Amino acid sequence: RAPGDGPAALRPLPPSSAANLGLGPAWRGGLDDVKSARDPLVMKGNSRKESCWTWLKVAFLLSSAVLAYLLRGSSLFSEEGVTEVLAHHRESLKDRFIEVSCSEDYDSHKRFEGCTPRKCGRGITDAIISRGEAERIRRIAEKGLALGGSDGGASILDLHSGALSLGKHFVNMYRYFGDKVHNIFSEEDFYLYSELRQRIQQKIALTFGISSSSLYLTKPTFFSRINSSEAKTTHDEYWHPHIDKVTYGSFDYTSLLYLSDYVEDFDGGRFVFMDEGANRTVEPRAGRVSFFTSGSENLHRVEKVRWGTRYAITISFTCNPDHGIGDPVLTQ
């Protein structure tokens, strides 16, 4: 029985009586309603029903409001937070490639057939550089950055130009430190750097269907060390979204070689591709190479590092030989 129904409530007329009075089914219900309306027990039951319905309505409205708020929060998170991980730090990837439509950025620069991107996208591999090699090349970065380092959270070391963060400025370490540099680095360090660069170049060429010989190393190509220190200058603000082709017109293909592990060595610091309606991230892992075409099809940023230290190398390539640079040499 429904709540509020009394034992004598709503006793309808016998069907024969209703028929004798010439009433159809609808009128029978009407008579029953009149009778129940006069019955105190039924009146009390109806009052309790109305009260129940009122609370149900209130509960429904409140739950709807909460649901709307949660959905709104979820929407904000999907726009601003990471919604898909392309490469987890715990997995070892032989190869992963995601093709995307090329932007028009390349049209405003001289095109080089067989090299300028016509196939665009982003790739990730853990198969071309070992963790041991990543550790060795990280030591090169540590030795060089020990000479200086930024007062803020982001420091760079460029073996090609000699650029080194020092306090709030940059110096040419080859000139600033002179012969001391030769006691820090070795020919073997520079050979390893060149060897790993060649492997990355060949991987990019193979993935995008171009000749490796049509690619040229370009500047800036550099080590980065990022920690959670507060930014002191705009050079320390590494986290802003940007497009490599817009920032550096010579870039056609960008790569990053990670030299430390997300979660193990630092938190934050993930690389985020900012696609329309979704963010897609790469979690750094020592020896992992992430590479992509440099146009606005690959708008990206790096999360702020919350603790620890993140090491990586940015190695960039151009199709324009006029913007090419050679491998660094120890005798500057």
Side-chain angles (χ1 to χ4, degrees):
R1 288 186 307 200
D5 283 352
L10 298 176
R11 286 184 186 164
L13 290 170
S16 57
S17 300
N20 291 340
L21 291 172
L23 302 176
W27 278 101
R28 264 185 287 166
L31 285 172
D32 292 341
D33 288 343
V34 170
K35 180 179 179 184
S36 61
R38 291 175 180 172
D39 190 325
L41 288 174
V42 174
M43 289 175 70
K44 183 178 178 182
N46 286 341
S47 174
R48 290 176 64 181
K49 282 182 180 179
E50 286 175 8
S51 176
C52 235
W53 274 111
T54 301
W55 280 109
L56 283 171
K57 286 177 183 177
V58 170
F60 174 78
L61 290 172
L62 285 172
S63 61
S64 298
V66 170
L67 181 60
Y69 175 82
L70 290 174
L71 287 173
R72 182 171 177 268
S74 173
S75 174
L76 286 173
F77 179 77
S78 68
E79 289 172 10
E80 298 177 7
V82 172
T83 56
E84 181 184 351
V85 177
L86 296 180
H88 290 271
H89 68 285
R90 288 193 180 90
E91 63 180 329
S92 181
L93 295 173
K94 182 178 180 182
D95 246 333
R96 181 164 292 167
F97 181 74
I98 299 92
E99 187 167 356
V100 297
S101 299
C102 292
S103 64
E104 297 177 355
D105 297 343
Y106 309 98
D107 297 338
S108 57
H109 297 266
K110 185 177 179 181
R111 297 191 70 92
F112 293 84
E113 269 320 305
C115 182
T116 298
R118 292 195 179 279
K119 172 185 177 181
C120 292
R122 53 198 68 150
I124 305 140
T125 179
D126 297 314
I128 63 173
I129 293 170
S130 71
R131 291 177 67 82
E133 288 170 325
E135 185 178 341
R136 285 170 58 200
I137 203 161
R138 172 176 165 168
R139 286 200 290 268
I140 299 173
E142 290 172 336
K143 289 188 295 187
L145 287 164
L147 291 170
S150 169
D151 288 343
S155 301
I156 72 157
L157 167 66
D158 184 337
L159 293 180
H160 302 265
S161 68
L164 172 69
S165 299
L166 186 64
K168 295 182 175 65
H169 307 283
F170 296 98
V171 297
N172 184 321
M173 68 174 179
Y174 298 118
R175 294 177 188 167
Y176 194 86
F177 295 102
D179 291 340
K180 187 177 180 181
V181 170
H182 297 269
N183 299 325
I184 293 171
F185 300 115
S186 68
E187 292 289 351
E188 185 181 350
D189 290 336
F190 281 66
Y191 176 81
L192 176 64
Y193 182 94
S194 176
E195 166 67 21
L196 300 188
R197 186 272 305 163
Q198 288 178 47
R199 283 189 223 165
I200 293 170
Q201 182 171 338
Q202 288 164 1
K203 180 62 179 177
I204 290 173
L206 181 65
T207 301
F208 289 100
I210 59 177
S211 169
S212 177
S213 61
S214 68
L215 283 175
Y216 301 88
L217 191 65
T218 194
K219 60 182 180 183
T221 285
F222 56 92
F223 288 98
S224 61
R225 181 186 70 193
I226 303 175
N227 59 37
S228 59
S229 299
E230 182 183 352
K232 302 299 182 184
T233 72
T234 54
H235 298 297
D236 297 319
E237 297 178 6
Y238 57 85
W239 54 82
H240 298 297
H242 62 279
I243 299 160
D244 289 345
K245 189 69 177 172
V246 174
T247 307
Y248 309 105
S250 62
F251 280 34
D252 289 303
Y253 301 90
T254 306
S255 70
L256 292 108
L257 167 58
Y258 296 108
L259 306 177
S260 49
D261 293 315
Y262 172 66
V263 175
E264 305 285 330
D265 299 312
F266 62 91
D267 190 26
R270 293 177 291 185
F271 186 97
V272 183
F273 290 106
M274 301 177 68
D275 296 332
E276 186 176 350
N279 291 335
R280 295 177 171 87
T281 188
V282 176
E283 296 180 352
R285 168 188 167 97
R288 171 165 289 170
V289 177
S290 171
F291 56 94
F292 50 92
T293 46
S294 305
S296 55
E297 68 275 2
N298 282 315
L299 171 68
H300 60 273
R301 65 181 177 87
V302 174
E303 292 178 328
K304 288 185 179 182
V305 170
R306 289 189 281 271
W307 59 261
T309 306
R310 175 192 189 269
Y311 284 90
I313 316 175
T314 298
I315 303 175
S316 18
F317 297 94
T318 183
C319 296
N320 189 339
D322 293 339
H323 295 302
I325 60 173
D327 284 322
V329 290
L330 188 54
T331 54
Q332 293 285 336

